[in-house]
């Protein structure tokens, strides 16, 4: 959105609903498509906890788990994942434009640093509010027997055995990951679009959105993979007897580096890219189309 367009940014109730609704729906649709890869990513991140050694690749892990648990394992935790996508996705993408508007009003600029700050703010706030759903999702993905009682049964079990604070396990790294992810995704997407429009003949449309979202997916995967792995470990502490107790995100990163080596921070990174790349592309292309249909300006 251009600066002069932002000055007249509308705040009518219908525009607010469309603005956050298009964001939430686009993220939910992308999540539904890429959820099996998210399940594999979590399983890969929980390999050889506290140990060094050869890791099972994504393809081999898929075949082993498919044979043992059946095809339904690919959609473990789907209900909380979709719930979180609508809420978290709607907030983290939806808060980007208002935050950019605030930066322009306060500093008279929407340069790359303002875009990074705006996106990071939206991602952190969205995760802080929706962390319980994320904890529930990864618990169900890692433990197929939990799914017998459904998300509600697992939620009750967590609260009764671990207390309400268990719902915010890993919230620090989760906020850091979401801020980093959203900043790298949205700022990269927004800036790539600006550069391509300036230097090439591309205009708003599918080709521009496809190229920009692909670049954003690659950048965000490279930056967020270690933080995502730490977030998963913290959320699943009670589920792994080998894991021990991590005090916080920094302690977790230190322990992983110490016991599993630097490569430990990138466990599941291939699955992360295989999921985040297409998810980013689907999210932005669909979001732009929905915004167009709703009569909103492009991101």
């Amino acid at each position: 959105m251009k600066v002069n367009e932002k000055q007249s940014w509308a705040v009518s109730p219908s525009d607010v609903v469309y603005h956050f609704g298009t964001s939430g729906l686009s993220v939910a649709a992308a999540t539904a498509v890429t959820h099996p890869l998210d399940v594999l990513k979590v399983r890969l991140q929980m390999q050889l906890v506290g140990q060094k050694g050869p890791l099972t690749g994504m393809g081999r892990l898929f075949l082993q788990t498919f044979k043992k648990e059946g095809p339904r394992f690919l959609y473990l935790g789907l209900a909380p994942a979709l719930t979180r996508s609508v809420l978290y996705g709607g907030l983290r993408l939806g808060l980007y434009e208002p935050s950019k508007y605030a930066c322009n009003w306060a500093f008279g600029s929407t340069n790359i640093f303002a875009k990074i700050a705006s996106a990071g703010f939206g991602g952190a706030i969205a995760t802080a509010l929706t962390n319980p759903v994320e904890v529930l999702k990864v618990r169900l993905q890692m433990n197929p027997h939990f799914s017998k009682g459904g998300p509600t049964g697992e939620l009750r079990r967590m609260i009764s055995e671990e207390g309400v604070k268990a719902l915010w396990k890993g919230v620090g790294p989760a906020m850091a990951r979401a801020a980093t992810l959203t900043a790298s995704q949205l700022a990269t997407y927004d800036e790539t679009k600006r550069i391509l429009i300036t230097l090439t003949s591309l205009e708003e449309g599918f080709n521009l959105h496809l190229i920009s979202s692909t670049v954003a997916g690659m950048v965000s995967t490279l930056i967020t993979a270690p933080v995502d792995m730490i977030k998963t470990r913290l959320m699943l502490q009670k589920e792994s007897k080998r894991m021990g107790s991590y005090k916080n995100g920094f302690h977790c990163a230190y322990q992983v580096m110490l016991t599993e080596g630097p490569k430990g921070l990138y466990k599941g990174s291939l699955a992360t890219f295989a999921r985040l790349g297409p998810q980013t592309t689907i999210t932005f292309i669909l979001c732009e189309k929905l915004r167009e249909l709703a009569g909103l300006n492009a991101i």
Side-chain angles (χ1 to χ4, degrees):
M1 189 180 289
K2 297 180 179 62
V3 171
N4 62 338
E5 290 173 333
K6 290 194 297 177
Q7 300 291 351
S8 59
W9 192 75
V11 290
S12 68
S14 60
D15 280 335
V16 171
V17 172
Y18 290 148
H19 180 72
F20 286 96
T22 54
S23 299
L25 287 174
S26 60
V27 175
T31 297
V33 173
T34 61
H35 186 76
L37 290 166
D38 190 42
V39 177
L40 284 172
K41 179 206 72 174
V42 170
R43 299 293 181 95
L44 287 166
Q45 289 173 335
M46 294 301 292
Q47 289 187 90
L48 297 177
V49 175
Q51 305 174 68
K52 294 181 180 179
L55 300 174
T56 303
M58 184 169 66
R60 187 177 176 187
L61 179 67
F62 167 77
L63 293 174
Q64 290 176 348
T65 312
F66 190 89
K67 183 178 180 180
K68 181 180 179 181
E69 300 177 30
R72 65 189 301 270
F73 97 92
L74 293 170
Y75 286 93
L76 291 172
L78 180 61
L82 291 177
T83 302
R84 176 181 177 273
S85 294
V86 173
L87 300 174
Y88 166 73
L91 285 171
R92 79 180 183 93
L93 266 65
L95 288 172
Y96 179 60
E97 291 294 334
S99 298
K100 275 206 307 179
Y101 177 85
C103 284
N104 185 48
W105 176 80
F107 307 110
S109 173
T110 54
N111 58 27
I112 183 63
F113 299 107
K115 292 174 182 177
I116 291 173
S118 300
F121 170 78
I125 293 297
T127 290
L129 296 174
T130 61
N131 196 73
V133 191
E134 173 70 2
V135 174
L136 182 60
K137 183 196 76 171
V138 296
R139 293 285 183 97
L140 290 170
Q141 288 177 336
M142 195 62 199
N143 300 278
H145 64 278
F146 284 160
S147 62
K148 294 178 182 178
T152 305
E154 170 59 9
L155 181 63
R156 280 200 288 262
R157 188 198 70 81
M158 267 200 303
I159 294 175
S160 64
E161 294 183 9
E162 303 172 52
V164 176
K165 66 179 182 179
L167 298 176
W168 271 271
K169 274 187 176 180
V171 68
M175 289 177 68
R177 185 252 184 193
T180 306
L181 170 66
T182 310
S184 58
Q185 273 186 335
L186 274 166
T188 301
Y189 177 75
D190 198 352
E191 193 66 10
T192 301
K193 277 180 63 177
R194 185 192 67 80
I195 293 171
L196 289 173
I197 290 173
T198 302
L199 300 181
T200 71
S201 59
L202 287 173
E203 298 179 350
E204 284 292 345
F206 179 79
N207 291 336
L208 177 65
H209 301 158
L210 176 62
I211 296 171
S212 301
S213 59
T214 301
V215 173
M218 290 189 292
V219 171
S220 59
T221 300
L222 180 65
I223 294 175
T224 62
V227 187
D228 186 61
M229 198 282 298
I230 292 169
K231 177 208 72 172
T232 300
R233 289 289 182 87
L234 287 172
M235 289 181 173
L236 288 170
Q237 278 194 90
K238 194 175 186 297
E239 311 309 323
S240 175
K241 295 179 181 178
R242 292 179 179 177
M243 192 180 298
S245 179
Y246 297 132
K247 298 176 182 177
N248 50 50
F250 292 107
H251 182 244
C252 177
Y254 172 74
Q255 288 296 320
V256 171
M257 292 275 287
L258 186 68
T259 60
E260 302 171 45
K263 288 184 178 180
L265 292 173
Y266 279 90
K267 282 181 178 178
S269 58
L270 179 59
T272 299
F273 175 72
R275 168 184 171 265
L276 193 55
Q279 186 187 44
T280 302
T281 302
I282 294 169
T283 296
F284 283 126
I285 290 177
L286 184 55
C287 187
E288 294 280 26
K289 188 61 179 178
L290 290 174
R291 288 177 69 88
E292 180 186 341
L293 294 173
L296 301 175
N297 289 312
I299 295 173

